[in-house]
Amino acid sequence: MASGEEIRRATELLARARRPVAFTGAGVSAESGIPTFRGSGGLWENYRVEDVATPEAFERNPRLVWEFYNLRREAVFRAEPNPAHRALARLEELFPNFVLITQNVDRLHQRAGSKKVIELHGNLCEVRCTGCGRTFDKTGVRLEWPPRCAECGELLRPAVVWFGEALPLDAWRAAEEAANASDCMLVIGTSAQVYPAAGLIAMARRHGAAIVEVNLEPTAASEMAAISIYGKAAEVLPQIVEAIEWARQSGEMR
Ligand code: BV8
Ligand code: ZN
């Protein structure tokens, strides 16, 4: 549980920010019941990345890849946004320039009300045709094997970025711009091990942003952080937002 002093310091750094950004990873969705990747109970405990999350894996055994992604799609469709997602959506209302950069593919930020969301690694709701390239929204739809394109009949793939694939250029450029312009970056629920996404933290830091980390444990981002608050995002973020709102109402802040 975060101490009052930690919440106060994090709130102070965020409250003075003119261009705050949040950078989120799987830990933000943990309290929605979505398994993270690394650490105990993580996805990579039961699957090897090379077997289910690379273009070569899809080439070699598309049915296994679809089994992996259908399991995750169904978990996401059953999940609800948690207080961490809602606190971040509230920050977008409190800070006009607030931008949310996410590595997550579950779209829970959008379902919680966040509008300015940069999705670096695609999402599980949409699928893309390997033949004609069309994208289809299949939110909530259970896909039977083999999922085929209604237009050209070719095999559909999940609309996520696999390891070894380039990130969507427009999303990456927007994320770089937001990180470079930011004066405070909230780094929430990420092990900061996946690149180029994790590089955004050092980018923001290099441009003078104060890094505020929220995680259960130290990560590769911790040494760049002005403050690391160890606790559950669904508990810590609402405390920070509450402190910001209180400071504004009491006139302590503009
Ligand atoms: C690229 C979508 C080049 C899919 C994901 C060898 C070959 C090829 C590439 C590489 C290589 N070696 C290195 C690379 C680069 C590679 C990479 O970085 N690998 C890492 C593992 C070393 N990167 C890539 O391949 C990228 N592409 O480099 O392309 C290129 C360039 C030009 C042209 C062509 C090619 C693509 C990377 C994207 C991969 N796709 N996701 C899917 O989801 O199935 S990444 C995947 O990891 C997710 O998106 C996830 O979000 C992301 C990062 O993980 P985290 O979010 O941080 O999750 P994690 O479980 O790790 O951590 C959770 C954290 O939360 C923990 O710290 C935990 O303590 C904390 N936590 C838990 N509960 C809570 C909590 N915190 C707070 N509260 C809680 N309750
Ligand atoms: Zn097609």
Side-chain angles (χ1 to χ4, degrees):
M1 189 65 172
S3 74
E5 174 54 21
E6 287 172 326
I7 297 297
R8 197 193 58 72
R9 281 191 58 213
T11 304
E12 203 176 275
L13 289 169
L14 181 56
R16 70 168 72 132
R18 291 285 170 275
R19 289 174 310 287
V21 300
F23 176 64
T24 66
V28 152
S29 298
E31 264 110 321
S32 296
I34 308 282
T36 60
F37 292 85
R38 298 160 190 88
S40 63
L43 283 166
W44 300 145
E45 265 179 7
N46 305 319
Y47 292 91
R48 288 179 344 126
V49 171
E50 306 77 59
D51 296 340
V52 290
T54 66
E56 295 75 21
F58 190 69
E59 191 68 32
R60 192 171 52 244
N61 188 343
R63 182 161 197 170
L64 173 68
V65 172
W66 265 115
E67 272 170 28
F68 173 65
Y69 280 93
N70 271 331
L71 280 176
R72 293 180 58 202
R73 295 176 78 248
E74 277 157 37
V76 163
F77 301 148
R78 276 196 308 271
E80 288 299 325
N82 68 58
H85 296 108
R86 286 197 289 276
L88 287 161
R90 181 70 184 122
L91 284 182
E92 191 175 295
E93 294 166 352
L94 292 169
F95 291 88
N97 300 326
F98 182 79
V99 171
L100 174 61
I101 304 166
T102 190
Q103 302 170 90
N104 297 344
V105 292
D106 56 33
R107 291 207 150 165
L108 289 177
H109 285 305
Q110 291 92 330
R111 285 178 51 196
S114 290
K115 295 185 187 48
K116 293 192 281 182
V117 180
I118 299 172
E119 280 180 340
L120 293 177
H121 295 154
N123 71 86
L124 290 173
C125 298
E126 293 172 327
V127 294
R128 192 168 62 244
C129 177
T130 56
C132 65
R134 281 185 181 85
T135 298
F136 303 90
D137 187 333
K138 294 284 184 186
T139 303
V141 176
R142 176 170 174 65
L143 294 168
E144 297 306 325
W145 172 260
R148 294 224 169 267
C149 172
E151 298 296 322
C152 76
E154 285 302 317
L155 194 58
L156 298 170
R157 61 162 281 176
V160 298
V161 179
W162 278 324
F163 286 95
E165 290 189 315
L167 275 57
L169 212 46
D170 53 344
W172 177 245
R173 286 213 177 105
E176 274 191 312
E177 194 183 319
N180 288 333
S182 73
D183 48 7
C184 179
M185 177 182 269
L186 302 177
V187 177
I188 308 155
T190 182
S191 60
Q193 290 175 33
V194 172
Y195 283 82
L200 293 166
I201 306 167
M203 230 182 267
R205 183 82 185 73
R206 225 182 354 266
H207 288 84
I211 307 297
V212 175
E213 179 180 33
V214 176
N215 201 301
L216 296 181
E217 58 188 14
T219 69
S222 298
E223 78 251 8
M224 288 183 275
I227 179 168
S228 288
I229 300 182
Y230 298 127
K232 291 184 175 179
E235 290 166 5
V236 172
L237 288 177
Q239 287 177 286
I240 293 175
V241 170
E242 201 182 316
I244 294 264
E245 290 182 313
W246 187 85
R248 287 223 177 141
Q249 276 151 23
S250 63
E252 244 187 51
M253 268 186 341
R254 65 173 191 2

